[in-house]
Amino acid sequence: MTRRIAFLTKGETPFGRKLCTALAHLGYSIGFTCSKESSCDLQKAVESAGGSALALAVTDFDANTLSKAVVTTVEHFGRLDVLVFLTDPPSGASNMLLDLDEGDWDSCMNRGAKGFFLLAKYALPYLIDGETSHVIVFEPPRGGDAREPNATEGASDGALAAVLFGISEELASCGIKLTYRNHREIAEAESDPTTLLERILPVTPRE
C-alpha cells in the first residue's frame, strides 16, 4: 500500500501541529513548513503518529521559497496528493487605513492571498495527475467566534476569498477538489481535527 502525500503550511502553529498528527493517523506522509527551530520536534511527533514527515524550514512566503518547498516534497515522497494551506493569525491592527503601512499590507498579502496563490500554482502540475487530488484552506481558530475581525485579518481574508473564487473553476477543470473551512466551522475540531479531515479526505491509502 502506498501512502498519500500531503503538503501543509505553518506546521508549527498549534492547529498546524494537530493537523499534521491527524493526517499521519489517517495514513498520510507529510511535508510541512515550519521554522528551523521547531522542525525536529514536529517531525518526531508526526512519525510517532505513524506517518513519515519532511520538515521544510520556510519563513518567507516568496515565490522561490515556496516553489523549492513543493519540489522538495515531491522529490522526497514521489508525488503530491493534498495541499493544505493555513491562513495566518491577525497582526493586531484594528483600523486598516490608520494602522497599516505598506510593509504590513505586503506581509499580510504575502502570507495570505499571494502565498496561497503561489503555493497552488507550484503544486498544480503535481496535483493535476492525481486520482484524489485536493486543495484545502483552513482558517484556524483565532480566539473566539464573537471577536470582530481586525484590519489585517479582514484585508487578508478578503483577498484570499477572491483568489479562491478565481481559481475554483480552474481547479475543478483539472479534477482537483477545493475545500475551505473558516474558524467558526472548525472551532469544534480544534482539539482534534481527525474527524474533520475524515469528512474531507480519503482515509485508506491507495494501492
Side-chain angles (χ1 to χ4, degrees):
M1 302 290 284
T2 303
R3 299 175 70 89
R4 291 188 177 90
I5 310 303
F7 180 97
L8 181 140
T9 64
K10 304 180 181 71
E12 67 183 336
T13 62
F15 193 64
R17 291 180 66 90
K18 293 169 185 175
L19 283 173
C20 281
T21 54
L23 284 165
H25 282 304
L26 296 180
Y28 285 79
S29 294
I30 308 148
F32 58 87
T33 68
C34 62
S35 68
K36 185 176 181 180
E37 291 74 17
S38 65
S39 60
C40 292
D41 175 54
L42 183 50
Q43 189 164 333
K44 290 178 181 177
V46 171
E47 291 170 351
S48 296
S52 298
L54 175 65
L56 300 153
V58 174
T59 54
D60 297 316
F61 273 40
D62 59 37
N64 182 62
T65 301
L66 289 176
S67 175
K68 183 178 179 179
V70 170
V71 171
T72 300
T73 298
V74 174
E75 289 178 345
H76 183 81
F77 290 115
R79 68 173 194 279
L80 181 63
D81 301 296
V82 177
L83 175 65
V84 183
F85 184 84
L86 271 67
T87 62
D88 255 11
S91 71
S94 58
N95 299 296
M96 187 179 297
L97 295 178
L98 293 176
D99 295 341
L100 299 187
D101 59 24
E102 185 176 0
D104 295 326
W105 175 267
D106 290 342
S107 178
C108 72
M109 290 300 109
N110 286 344
R111 294 180 177 275
K114 182 180 177 182
F116 171 71
F117 165 77
L118 290 172
L119 195 57
K121 178 179 179 65
Y122 297 132
L124 181 62
Y126 306 106
L127 292 170
I128 203 168
D129 295 325
E131 300 172 8
T132 55
S133 295
H134 208 129
V135 173
I136 306 171
V137 178
F138 283 128
E139 178 191 347
R142 296 176 174 182
D145 291 350
R147 187 183 56 74
E148 291 297 322
N150 64 31
T152 54
E153 191 175 342
S156 182
D157 290 353
L160 179 58
V163 173
L164 290 173
F165 178 78
I167 71 169
S168 58
E169 290 189 6
E170 183 178 2
L171 290 176
S173 70
C174 297
I176 301 169
K177 188 173 181 180
L178 173 64
T179 297
Y180 171 78
R181 295 288 184 268
N182 66 32
H183 67 282
R184 290 178 175 83
E185 294 176 282
I186 65 176
E188 62 184 29
E190 184 177 3
S191 60
D192 182 6
T194 304
T195 302
L196 175 67
L197 288 170
E198 285 177 330
R199 294 198 295 263
I200 298 173
L201 294 171
V203 177
T204 305
R206 68 186 181 205
E207 298 184 7

